[in-house]
Amino acid sequence: MANSILRSVDGHNQRMFLALGFLCLASMMQNAGAYEFKVGGVNGWTVTSNPDEHNQWAQTRRFQKGDTLLFVYKPSQDSVLQVNKQDYDNCNTGSPIAKFEDGNTSFNLTHSGPYYFISGIELNCHNNEKLTAIVLSDRSKTPPPPPPSSPPPPAATTPSPAPAGELFPSDQSPPPPPPRNGASSSFVSLTSSIGAFVMGSSLLLVL
């Protein structure tokens, strides 16, 4: 009785481990194509001499669902705010969607569409420390193939003249060729099979 209970528990545990293994594998496969982008490249998240450097940086990247944005900055001097479009345009730091101050912020892009980020310091935002990241659709979805182009109209061909003595009326096709002789084909095939058998038997006897 006790042994059967233990065997039942062991089987249950094995099924649980298998299920957990499949879940982990699926999660790894889902994140296998994800990338991490360091915002601003070498300069990081800061005010730069180029007034539109962050957005120029973003325009040269292709962000996809599952990717992450890495904001690197000095936590005592700056922060990152995720905001809506209106607050982005007006550099409104008073009502962010999310606020980050750790100095090494990793932001996960979970859906397609635009994301808006500004500095938590309003003056920095007015100095263009702000970023718009456009996330494209899922990278596993491929665009539909283009519609097939219409085939060109068939070119008009001039029939070649028939050889002398084989002229046929325009509304009558030439007679079909005589049917192949199935009996002769079968006979040739049978003869070849017997010959191959005899040769193989001879080789076996020699060996």
Side-chain angles (χ1 to χ4, degrees):
M1 176 75 176
N3 289 336
S4 63
I5 294 175
L6 288 174
R7 284 197 297 271
S8 175
V9 170
D10 289 342
H12 180 68
N13 287 339
Q14 288 177 359
R15 287 193 294 271
M16 287 181 59
F17 283 128
L18 284 174
L20 287 174
F22 281 124
L23 287 175
C24 292
L25 180 61
S27 177
M28 291 171 61
M29 292 177 64
Q30 182 178 5
N31 296 325
Y35 297 94
E36 181 181 75
F37 296 90
K38 183 181 177 183
V39 176
V42 177
N43 294 325
W45 181 243
T46 184
V47 176
T48 62
S49 56
N50 181 353
D52 203 30
E53 181 167 332
H54 291 302
N55 281 330
Q56 288 176 354
W57 171 87
Q59 289 168 4
T60 61
R61 270 73 182 172
R62 293 176 61 84
F63 304 115
Q64 305 277 358
K65 288 169 58 178
D67 292 343
T68 55
L69 298 178
L70 179 62
F71 295 84
V72 178
Y73 52 95
K74 293 182 179 179
S76 60
Q77 300 178 8
D78 210 343
S79 60
V80 181
L81 306 182
Q82 183 192 4
V83 295
N84 58 33
K85 179 67 164 62
Q86 183 177 357
D87 290 344
Y88 174 87
D89 292 335
N90 298 323
C91 286
N92 179 18
T93 61
S95 55
I97 299 172
K99 183 175 183 178
F100 308 96
E101 303 175 293
D102 58 357
N104 198 57
T105 301
S106 182
F107 185 90
N108 188 24
L109 303 171
T110 58
H111 59 82
S112 58
Y115 286 79
Y116 301 100
F117 302 94
I118 62 174
S119 170
I121 299 175
E122 186 175 345
L123 180 60
N124 288 358
C125 178
H126 285 293
N127 287 327
N128 291 301
E129 189 182 353
K130 55 200 306 187
L131 171 71
T132 301
I134 307 295
V135 178
L136 305 178
S137 58
D138 192 351
R139 60 169 49 86
S140 64
K141 297 178 181 178
T142 56
S149 57
S150 57
T157 57
T158 304
S160 57
E166 296 184 8
L167 296 177
F168 300 97
S170 58
D171 58 346
Q172 181 179 353
S173 59
R180 297 181 61 183
N181 191 340
S184 61
S185 299
S186 301
F187 177 75
V188 172
S189 176
L190 179 61
T191 305
S192 301
S193 300
I194 293 173
F197 176 75
V198 171
M199 290 180 65
S201 301
S202 303
L203 287 174
L204 289 174
L205 290 175
V206 171
L207 294 175

